Amino acid sequence: MAKWTPQHEAPEPLEGPVVATITGGTILWFVLFLVQLPFYGWFDDHGHLWWVWTCLAGAGLGLIGIWYVRGRDAALKRHAAQQTAGTTGADTTDSSTTDSGTTGTKGSGTTGGARA
């Protein structure tokens, strides 16, 4: 079993436009559902009706995915803003930190920071 154990570390995970990717996939599933809807009778006659409902399920699960990744993205941005405020706030007073060092980042997670 030891010869199948990898000898190198795993690479860092890639961060990309997760919200856009999930939104695009959800739109694709919903468009596929709409395209198949006029052929409902044909799918039913040939035993492929599950194709139509699979597309609708993909669109529904995609909506849940959009909700999840938007919340995750907002939480990551909020955490990064808190880390930035925590490192700059240790050297100066609280009023000077909000006026100079973190303008635009403080509170961005609560005022729509996920819409970047």
Side-chain angles (χ1 to χ4, degrees):
M1 187 76 133
K3 73 178 187 175
W4 298 107
T5 305
Q7 299 297 324
H8 53 81
E9 293 184 31
E12 292 292 321
L14 297 175
E15 288 294 329
V18 180
V19 176
T21 302
I22 300 300
T23 302
T26 302
I27 291 170
L28 182 64
W29 278 114
F30 190 68
V31 167
L32 287 172
F33 170 73
L34 292 178
V35 166
Q36 291 179 355
L37 205 53
F39 305 103
Y40 186 87
W42 184 89
F43 284 113
D44 192 22
D45 293 342
H46 291 88
H48 298 300
L49 195 57
W50 63 273
W51 289 9
V52 177
W53 301 120
T54 299
C55 293
L56 185 61
L61 290 172
L63 290 175
I64 295 170
I66 291 170
W67 171 76
Y68 178 80
V69 296
R70 287 189 71 201
R72 178 184 178 270
D73 194 36
L76 289 173
K77 288 180 180 179
R78 193 168 43 247
H79 178 71
Q82 288 174 352
Q83 291 295 331
T84 303
T87 57
T88 59
D91 297 335
T92 61
T93 62
D94 194 20
S95 62
S96 65
T97 302
T98 56
D99 291 337
S100 62
T102 59
T103 304
T105 58
K106 188 165 181 98
S108 65
T110 58
T111 60
R115 296 181 189 156

